[in-house]
Amino acid sequence: MFNYIRGTLVQKGKDTVVLDNQGIGWQISVPSTVLSGLHSLDEEVKLFTYLAVREDDLHLYGFLTADDLSLFKLLISVSGIGPKAALGILSSLSAAEFHLAVMHENVKALTRVPGVGPKSAKRLIVELKEKVAALGTPQTVSATPQAGGTTSAYHDALEALVALGYNGSEAQAALQTIEDADRISTEELIKKALAHLGLK
């Protein structure tokens, strides 16, 4: 019904935001990555949305990128994964990170998501690997368009950092501090990111 909503950010909650669009306040449930990407009230925000319809409830979910929205739809198509669980996954992994984890069958990366155990991680891989491959590699690795690069070296470095135990947000933040990241090898990206993270 809604592809996106653009409006003024008037409220941020624990897991929701309210956007004012022409005098209507839209309450939208969002992952924590969206909340961290919104810096101040009164800024104009565009969220890609999904309307979940139940017998006695209409609920809007919002995302800063179309890739995250596509991943959300895929996640809720998996048996046992509802909207709340899907938001939890998207709060821990970006669309690009999830894509990498599924395509490389990285159970360890998926089990770092709260509530996702080894069995759930393997089910996600089995049920979504072909669908994720069909979507293609997401064009961004975070909610901010200017974030880092999107080269294979960047993706490989991101996956390596996640495998080392850093969450997606930490790994992204470290990689985004590196100048000319799109022209640096995977090994050099990892070395510079680890230095930024305090491992000399």
Side-chain angles (χ1 to χ4, degrees), residues 30-34 36 61-63 65 67-76 83-98 113-114 116 169 172:
V30 296
S32 62
T33 47
V34 170
S36 63
Y61 296 89
F63 310 91
T65 71
D67 285 329
D68 282 345
L69 173 59
S70 295
L71 175 54
F72 177 81
K73 291 178 179 178
L74 275 186
L75 287 169
I76 61 177
K84 188 170 291 187
L87 281 188
I89 293 172
L90 283 165
S91 290
S92 302
L93 300 171
S94 70
E97 291 163 355
F98 185 83
V113 177
V116 176
S169 297
Q172 267 181 217

Side-chain angles (χ1 to χ4, degrees), residues 175-187:
L175 289 169
Q176 289 170 22
T177 65
I178 302 172
E179 293 185 6
D180 298 324
D182 57 338
R183 293 194 288 272
I184 298 177
S185 68
T186 299
E187 292 75 13

Side-chain angles (χ1 to χ4, degrees), residues 48-78:
F48 294 88
T49 55
Y50 176 85
L51 178 64
V53 180
R54 294 186 177 180
E55 291 182 3
D56 58 351
D57 183 47
L58 296 176
H59 208 107
L60 270 175
Y61 296 89
F63 310 91
L64 286 171
T65 71
D67 285 329
D68 282 345
L69 173 59
S70 295
L71 175 54
F72 177 81
K73 291 178 179 178
L74 275 186
L75 287 169
I76 61 177
S77 73
V78 176

Side-chain angles (χ1 to χ4, degrees), residues 76-150:
I76 61 177
S77 73
V78 176
S79 175
I81 302 293
K84 188 170 291 187
L87 281 188
I89 293 172
L90 283 165
S91 290
S92 302
L93 300 171
S94 70
E97 291 163 355
F98 185 83
H99 179 277
L100 288 169
V102 170
M103 295 308 297
H104 292 280
E105 299 186 9
N106 190 339
V107 172
K108 187 177 180 181
L110 293 173
T111 54
R112 291 199 180 90
V113 177
V116 176
K119 288 184 179 180
S120 296
K122 290 176 182 178
R123 186 171 73 249
L124 285 169
I125 291 169
V126 170
E127 292 195 28
L128 294 183
K129 189 170 183 178
E130 289 186 5
K131 295 179 180 179
V132 166
L135 285 178
T137 303
Q139 295 301 304
T140 58
V141 295
S142 79
T144 49
Q146 64 270 32
T150 57

